[in-house]
């Protein structure tokens, strides 16, 4: 019997659309094995407290399930299947309520990944949010943390890329099955992640991304992590769902502040009001992991800020009107009263000194 065939009935149960993680656990508590669950008659399923109302639908879906097709597809996609019965099941995840009974993986989850921080936020990312997410992911990654996120566009993508750039491990938790990957725009990024970390989901390969799949997967993002850092999030962001899961799972919640005028920062500010730790540097995160202090002596004290190099009057005039939020070239010209040529020259020299970065659409930001 091959490895997949040995998990046949675990996999089969993930093919049932109405079988939530909680109901899956109820069945596991009432039967000796997934195979016994699969073969149980309707009369027996109706007797189970907390499951009786789902028994008939369960049986109807069971009749339609094509287990052999699922096994074939899992093999074609090169997936590893890990269940609650397996020693390699992620220990941090095993401890959460309603832990996913089955995980589909690409890449490998390793012991080192227990030291993880999640970085999440809005899909509608600003240049500020992208830069901060990459910065924190890189710094935490270089310290040995695995960076966990959800492969979504925006902050998630920036977090994964920041980790990869630092040659750190990163884990993507997707909100669909691997055959229905979302978003398709991050297909190439997924391959990079798998080469230096892993991607995982609790959904069978053909499960499509739906509104309900993302909030459900968010508990895995927080469950795998020691803490969740929210970088940029409006009040209706799914990142706040991840933060709530983190609190329920007794994980730390961190939030990066931003402009009070920005809609995309309101979720972070609400989290801070509600007790999340305001974070300005990686040191603020490390302070909450007291058991790890010996590992991070290099980060116990905040590094002294780098001294700004001496600037010419032209450079100083331009630098003084720049912000950490993007400013358009034309606005810089208007605020300084300088000519287009002078502003171009000044921005170039400031960029060469590492003080300014050019963004898309002739926007510029001051670097921290």
């Amino acid at each position: 019997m091959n490895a997949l065939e040995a998990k046949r009935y675990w996999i089969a149960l993930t093919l049932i659309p109405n079988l939530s993680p909680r109901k899956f656990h109820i069945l596991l508590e009432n039967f000796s094995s997934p195979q016994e669950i699969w073969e149980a008659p309707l009369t027996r399923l109706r007797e189970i407290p907390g499951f009786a109302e789902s028994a008939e639908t369960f049986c109807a879906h069971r009749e339609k399930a094509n287990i052999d097709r699922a096994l074939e597809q899992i093999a074609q996609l090169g997936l590893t299947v890990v269940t609650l019965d397996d020693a390699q099941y992620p220990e941090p995840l095993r401890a959460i309520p309603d832990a996913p009974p089955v995980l589909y993986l690409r890449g490998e989850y390793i012991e080192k990944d227990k030291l993880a921080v999640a970085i999440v936020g809005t899909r509608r990312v600003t240049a500020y949010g992208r830069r901060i997410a990459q910065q924190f992911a890189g710094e935490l990654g270089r310290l040995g943390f695995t960076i966990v996120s959800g492969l979504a566009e925006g902050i998630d993508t920036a977090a994964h890329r920041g980790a990869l750039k630092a040659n750190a491990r990163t884990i993507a938790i997707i909100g669909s099955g691997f055959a229905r990957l979302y978003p398709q725009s991050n297909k190439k990024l997924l391959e990079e992640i798998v080469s230096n970390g892993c991607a995982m989901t609790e959904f069978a390969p053909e499960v499509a991304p739906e509104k309900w799949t993302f909030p459900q997967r968010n508990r895995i993002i927080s469950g795998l992590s020691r803490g969740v850092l929210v970088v940029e999030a409006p009040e209706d962001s799914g990142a706040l769902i991840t933060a709530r899961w983190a609190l329920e799972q007794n994980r730390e919640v961190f939030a990066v502040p931003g402009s009070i005028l920005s809609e995309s920062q309101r979720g972070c500010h609400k989290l801070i009001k509600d007790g999340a730790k305001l974070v300005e540097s990686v040191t603020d995160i490390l302070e909450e992991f007291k058991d790890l202090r010996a590992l991070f002596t290099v980060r116990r004290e905040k590094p002294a800020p780098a001294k700004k190099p001496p600037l010419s009057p032209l450079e100083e005039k331009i630098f003084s009107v720049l912000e950490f939020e993007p400013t358009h070239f034309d606005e810089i010209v208007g605020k300084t009263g300088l000519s287009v040529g002078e502003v171009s020259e000044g921005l170039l020299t400031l960029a060469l000194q590492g003080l300014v970065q050019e963004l898309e659409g002739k926007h510029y930001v001051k670097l921290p």
Side-chain angles (χ1 to χ4, degrees):
M1 185 184 291
N2 65 35
L4 280 181
E5 187 60 40
K7 296 172 181 177
R8 180 181 186 88
Y9 294 102
W10 286 99
I11 292 166
L13 288 167
T14 69
L15 304 178
I16 306 296
N18 71 321
L19 189 62
S20 68
R22 181 163 298 176
K23 288 175 182 176
F24 202 141
H25 278 274
I26 290 171
L27 291 176
L28 290 173
E29 290 162 9
N30 282 272
F31 292 93
S32 62
S33 70
Q35 183 173 352
E36 190 183 358
I37 295 169
W38 192 258
E39 295 172 350
L42 175 59
T43 51
R44 174 73 178 94
L45 294 167
R46 279 177 170 162
E47 293 170 356
I48 298 171
F51 190 77
E53 72 283 356
S54 303
E56 198 165 329
T57 311
F58 174 89
C59 290
H61 286 303
R62 184 172 62 181
E63 290 297 318
K64 298 174 186 175
N66 188 337
I67 308 174
D68 291 329
R69 169 66 187 129
L71 293 174
E72 182 183 323
Q73 191 172 35
I74 291 163
Q76 288 173 348
L77 290 166
L79 304 180
T80 301
V81 180
V82 179
T83 76
L84 282 169
D85 271 359
D86 295 324
Q88 61 267 47
Y89 189 95
E91 285 303 317
L93 203 55
R94 193 187 292 276
I96 71 170
D98 301 325
V102 179
L103 292 169
Y104 295 93
L105 281 82
R106 284 196 59 202
E108 187 181 7
Y109 181 89
I110 62 176
E111 181 76 11
K112 178 185 178 298
D113 294 329
K114 291 200 288 189
L115 184 62
V117 169
I119 299 179
V120 296
T122 182
R123 288 173 170 81
R124 300 182 296 276
V125 65
T126 65
Y128 166 80
R130 184 181 293 109
R131 189 169 77 251
I132 295 300
Q134 288 181 341
Q135 177 182 317
F136 273 95
E139 289 188 33
L140 288 165
R142 281 187 286 271
L143 284 171
F145 283 93
T146 294
I147 304 303
V148 181
S149 200
L151 198 70
E153 293 174 346
I155 293 296
D156 291 15
T157 293
H160 290 306
R161 291 208 179 280
L164 291 168
K165 190 174 180 182
N167 293 315
R169 285 184 62 81
T170 183
I171 297 175
I173 313 301
I174 67 173
S176 64
F178 275 101
R180 306 291 295 274
L181 182 69
Y182 181 85
Q184 282 289 307
S185 57
N186 271 345
K187 215 170 180 179
K188 184 174 179 292
L189 175 60
L190 178 71
E191 298 305 318
E192 295 177 49
I193 290 168
V194 169
S195 70
N196 201 34
C198 74
M200 68 174 73
T201 182
E202 66 183 317
F203 302 116
E206 284 293 347
V207 174
E210 303 282 357
K211 283 187 177 179
W212 63 271
T213 60
F214 295 101
Q216 182 170 312
R217 73 85 195 264
N218 287 354
R219 81 193 195 290
I220 301 177
I221 294 175
S222 55
L224 285 170
S225 310
R226 275 180 161 253
V228 172
L229 173 64
V230 184
V231 172
E232 188 172 55
E235 285 187 289
D236 61 351
S237 172
L240 272 62
I241 297 173
T242 310
R244 286 198 292 274
W245 279 120
L247 290 172
E248 288 184 26
Q249 296 163 352
N250 202 26
R251 272 43 170 178
E252 299 292 339
V253 177
F254 308 99
V256 176
S259 168
I260 62 171
L261 303 176
S262 173
E263 291 282 343
S264 65
Q265 302 294 348
R266 289 190 176 175
C268 289
H269 293 167
K270 184 178 188 305
L271 287 174
I272 293 166
K273 286 178 184 176
D274 291 343
K277 181 167 184 178
L278 186 153
V279 168
E280 295 176 308
S281 71
V282 165
T283 303
D284 296 325
I285 295 173
L286 300 182
E287 284 173 352
E288 299 306 307
F289 302 139
K290 295 179 174 56
D291 59 320
L292 300 176
R293 281 181 179 171
L295 294 174
F296 302 123
T297 52
V298 71
R299 285 289 184 173
R300 282 186 179 178
E301 298 296 329
K302 291 184 181 180
K307 192 173 181 182
K308 189 174 82 174
L311 302 178
S312 69
L314 174 72
E315 293 166 343
E316 188 65 60
K317 191 167 191 177
I318 295 170
F319 192 73
S320 68
V321 303
L322 291 170
E323 304 287 348
F324 293 118
E325 291 286 339
T327 305
H328 193 271
F329 181 88
D330 292 344
E331 190 177 346
I332 299 168
V333 171
K335 284 183 175 180
T336 59
L338 298 169
S339 70
V340 168
E342 288 172 321
V343 171
S344 296
E345 178 189 341
L347 287 170
L348 176 61
T349 57
L350 288 168
L352 290 172
Q353 293 176 79
L355 297 175
V356 168
Q357 182 177 348
E358 183 178 2
L359 305 175
E360 295 175 10
K362 297 186 73 175
H363 286 82
Y364 294 82
V365 289
K366 184 188 295 186
L367 292 175

